[in-house]
Amino acid sequence: MAMYKDIALAVEGGGMRGAYSAGVLDVFLDNGIKFGACAGTSAGATHLCSYLSEQRERNKRLDTIHSASKRYMSWGNLIRTGDFFELDYCYNQIPRVVDPFDFEKFRENTAETKFYAVATNLETGGPNTCSHAIWTSPKTWIRFALRHRFRS
């Protein structure tokens, strides 16, 4: 394992453009590469959650299999709920039932690696940065990452 404590990894957002980043993160996992800090925006924050939970190919499944579900995203969801993405499916069903997220491994790794999620403030246009240090629940991180992935 290689830990680069003095290096921070930044992962961009951009929805499906994040698929490339997801593959790079899997290569880091394969080679035991860790960083002192990780920061992501939108899809980048979501992909970092899977990286920090050491769940290889989870991002690939999210971007290819789960995103194809009408429960994940659809015009029907938008008409019924006002959200293009079904929030309960994305925030609760996928990480807890469909494709379980390793909350314990995430918690363990973010004790060693600082994790920051960044989203655009709709009022100011500036960045809002949230550190894992202000939240105690990994579920909150998943919700934040997914929410801003779709609404940033």
Side-chain angles (χ1 to χ4, degrees):
M1 175 178 61
M3 171 56 128
Y4 297 96
K5 286 190 177 270
D6 295 333
I7 297 175
L9 176 65
V11 181
E12 81 289 350
M16 292 306 201
R17 288 185 312 163
Y20 178 81
S21 298
V24 171
L25 293 171
D26 281 349
V27 171
F28 289 157
L29 286 174
D30 291 345
N31 290 282
I33 298 172
K34 295 186 176 188
F35 300 91
C38 292
T41 183
S42 194
T46 303
H47 290 334
L48 282 170
C49 287
S50 292
Y51 166 73
L52 290 167
S53 67
E54 298 181 16
Q55 292 182 270
R56 190 181 194 297
E57 294 198 358
R58 187 170 191 277
N59 290 318
K60 180 180 178 182
R61 293 189 303 275
L62 289 172
D63 287 344
T64 59
I65 298 168
H66 306 312
S67 67
S69 168
K70 289 186 182 202
R71 290 189 64 198
Y72 187 90
M73 61 181 169
S74 71
W75 294 110
N77 290 340
L78 182 64
I79 292 166
R80 277 191 320 279
T81 68
D83 289 310
F84 190 66
F85 298 86
E86 187 179 314
L87 303 181
D88 180 63
Y89 186 68
C90 293
Y91 299 160
N92 190 33
Q93 295 300 314
I94 290 175
R96 295 199 177 278
V97 179
V98 178
D99 198 333
F101 181 77
D102 190 339
F103 291 99
E104 187 56 39
K105 183 57 79 172
F106 177 85
R107 186 180 298 113
E108 180 183 311
N109 282 325
T110 55
E112 181 179 41
T113 298
K114 295 176 185 174
F115 173 50
Y116 303 93
V118 183
T120 302
N121 182 311
L122 295 177
E123 293 178 9
T124 68
N128 280 355
T129 304
C130 300
S131 165
H132 70 281
I134 64 169
W135 287 318
T136 57
S137 168
K139 179 180 178 184
T140 305
W141 271 109
I142 297 299
R143 291 180 66 105
F144 179 85
L146 288 171
R147 174 176 219 163
H148 291 286
R149 174 179 181 175
F150 305 136
R151 295 187 178 176
S152 61

